[in-house]
Amino acid sequence: MKKMVEFVSRAALVLLMLGIVGCGSSNTPDGIAEKCVDFLEDADFESMRQVATGDMFLWLDRAERRYDEIAKLLGEKKAKKVKATYDDLKFEIGEVGSGDDGKVVVPVKINGQNTPMTLIKRGENWRIEKFEFPII
């Protein structure tokens, strides 16, 4: 019984430490940029909305409309294949400059093409204001 209590205590401590470490950098410009690229690879536009603000919503709307148009023309199965091509793109995130004025530009390359991402600070959170990713 004592060993089981000790095991459960250690497991809880490890989970707590992982949770703290995992949450630590997610609200930095680097962390938000990485999240955005992960969401883009999955073509998860709804999750991208969670880290967006301003003009970024317009880009997401365009991407979703484009996907809907493709689904109507080609059918849902082929549209999913088109959406899956985001996963095949090669993304590179560069070094982020200082965000002293509440705004930073993150250098991002998609298949070697410069596609900078602009983030602004809203309260305590960094949000993507502009990211002109290719709408496939």
Side-chain angles (χ1 to χ4, degrees):
M1 180 71 173
K2 184 178 179 182
K3 287 185 179 185
M4 188 157 80
V5 170
E6 185 177 326
F7 174 76
V8 170
S9 298
R10 287 184 184 190
L13 181 61
V14 167
L15 289 174
L16 179 64
M17 287 175 25
L18 288 175
I20 291 171
V21 170
C23 295
S25 65
S26 66
N27 192 35
T28 63
D30 298 61
I32 297 297
E34 287 177 24
K35 276 185 183 182
C36 182
V37 167
D38 289 343
F39 295 149
L40 185 57
E41 286 178 319
D42 295 335
D44 184 356
F45 303 124
E46 190 57 40
S47 293
M48 287 177 76
R49 277 188 164 75
Q50 303 301 314
V51 293
T53 190
D55 289 342
M56 186 63 186
F57 288 118
L58 299 174
W59 275 94
L60 293 169
D61 290 343
R62 282 185 53 202
E64 286 185 328
R65 276 195 309 273
R66 178 71 183 260
Y67 175 74
D68 290 342
E69 290 170 4
I70 292 169
K72 286 178 186 173
L73 290 172
L74 304 176
E76 191 66 32
K77 189 174 181 179
K78 287 187 179 180
K80 284 185 181 182
K81 283 185 181 180
V82 170
K83 206 172 185 181
T85 59
Y86 281 107
D87 194 37
D88 298 332
L89 298 173
K90 183 180 178 194
F91 298 91
E92 298 174 49
I93 300 174
E95 294 230 2
V96 179
S98 67
D100 296 335
D101 61 350
K103 188 172 193 171
V104 296
V105 176
V106 179
V108 177
K109 287 187 178 184
I110 300 176
N111 284 352
Q113 179 182 349
N114 288 326
T115 312
M117 182 186 303
T118 305
L119 289 92
I120 59 172
K121 197 157 191 176
R122 295 280 186 212
E124 295 297 314
N125 299 314
W126 285 97
R127 296 289 178 243
I128 301 164
E129 180 181 50
K130 186 176 183 183
F131 180 40
E132 297 182 10
F133 61 88
I135 299 175
I136 297 172

